[in-house]
Amino acid sequence: MAAEVVPCAGAPSGGAVFGVCLGEDGCAPDSPGATPADTVKLALRGGLAAKAGWNDGPDLVLTGINSGPNVAASVNDSGTVGAAVAAIDQGVPALAFSSSGDESQLYFPRENYRAHAEFGARFVAGLEERGLLTPAFALKVDYPDVSAGRKAGAPVWARVGDGAVAYHAYERRGTGDTFDIALGLCEGGGSGGECAEGRADADSTWLLGEGHVTVAPITWDRTYGTPVDARRELTAVRRYVEREAPRP
């Protein structure tokens, strides 16, 4: 399997936009797309230099805005979060943005994307102005549903929850060996099993229950009980989120 980078000349941004697909004989309309993490690593390990002459690489990687929140157990399945982790693995600061859907989490209103994009630009600018962009950890920024007119709450420093809100469900198709991947939703905030949430400061609770923008630090190292590295940087970023970050 090979990766190919193709210019996306018709992109609305009008900038240097590229798409990445997988295939042996070049990209076609039915070619599978590369994963977000593969796309970031290709860009940082030679793709940008080859296609755009960008030999020094970027100062920052932004992933998303994802359709739907990446909170709690969903973080483990998230391409958006995985791409941000791939960036810090290469020594580049990164933020992963994800936006809530409506109450059903099945429809993703344009209002939520617009609000998140506007907030995200100011949030990143504040980090940059204070010298707080660091590759020691990535930041996961989730935005609540504001499509019904409710204003987003102030940014909250959170931990990734240990329960689930949504998950991949695998439904057998007929009697064969084919399974459809479907979206499973925990009802009522999760009351048992994998849906149970055990952390009071969980990202899912602050985002979906309280309607706040939630910010959580993430790294590539999921080893249980590992001491926190870059504690000074972590404390400084947390202070920014809690005291100085822009309000929605």
Side-chain angles (χ1 to χ4, degrees):
M1 188 71 72
E4 182 181 4
V5 181
V6 294
C8 298
S13 68
V17 180
F18 301 94
V20 182
C21 73
L22 300 177
E24 294 293 347
D25 300 315
C27 290
D30 58 350
S31 297
T35 67
D38 276 336
T39 301
V40 167
K41 288 189 175 182
L42 172 61
L44 298 181
R45 290 176 174 172
L48 284 174
K51 299 298 292 185
W54 200 348
N55 296 308
D56 295 334
D59 298 318
L60 176 66
V61 169
L62 303 178
T63 69
I65 300 170
N66 185 70
S67 298
N70 273 313
V71 293
S74 299
V75 171
N76 291 325
D77 299 322
S78 170
T80 302
V81 174
V85 172
I88 61 171
D89 186 44
Q90 298 297 304
V92 181
L95 288 89
F97 294 103
S98 299
S99 185
S100 292
D102 64 2
E103 288 186 357
S104 70
Q105 291 299 334
L106 298 174
Y107 175 69
F108 307 100
R110 185 173 299 176
E111 295 89 339
N112 290 349
Y113 292 107
R114 287 174 172 166
H116 197 173
E118 192 277 335
F119 167 82
R122 292 188 289 125
F123 184 78
V124 171
L127 290 169
E128 195 278 330
E129 288 170 1
R130 292 162 176 79
L132 296 177
L133 293 174
T134 173
F137 50 88
L139 292 177
K140 182 178 72 70
V141 184
D142 291 88
Y143 207 86
D145 176 28
V146 295
S147 62
R150 178 183 180 182
K151 187 176 177 62
V156 173
W157 188 257
R159 285 197 296 168
V160 175
D162 62 4
V165 174
Y167 54 90
H168 289 162
Y170 300 90
E171 300 174 353
R172 191 171 189 176
R173 187 186 300 176
T175 58
D177 295 327
T178 301
F179 289 75
D180 291 321
I181 302 175
L183 178 67
L185 294 173
C186 292
E187 301 293 336
S191 57
E194 69 176 305
C195 295
E197 179 54 63
R199 293 177 172 173
D201 58 349
D203 50 5
S204 55
T205 301
W206 279 112
L207 180 76
L208 302 174
E210 302 297 332
H212 284 264
V213 179
T214 63
V215 182
I218 51 175
T219 74
W220 57 269
D221 187 353
R222 299 182 183 183
T223 304
Y224 184 76
T226 298
V228 175
D229 296 323
R231 186 176 297 275
R232 179 178 297 177
E233 293 93 331
L234 193 68
T235 299
V237 174
R238 178 172 183 170
R239 184 183 300 113
Y240 165 71
V241 170
E242 294 179 335
R243 302 180 185 179
E244 301 171 349
R247 269 34 185 173

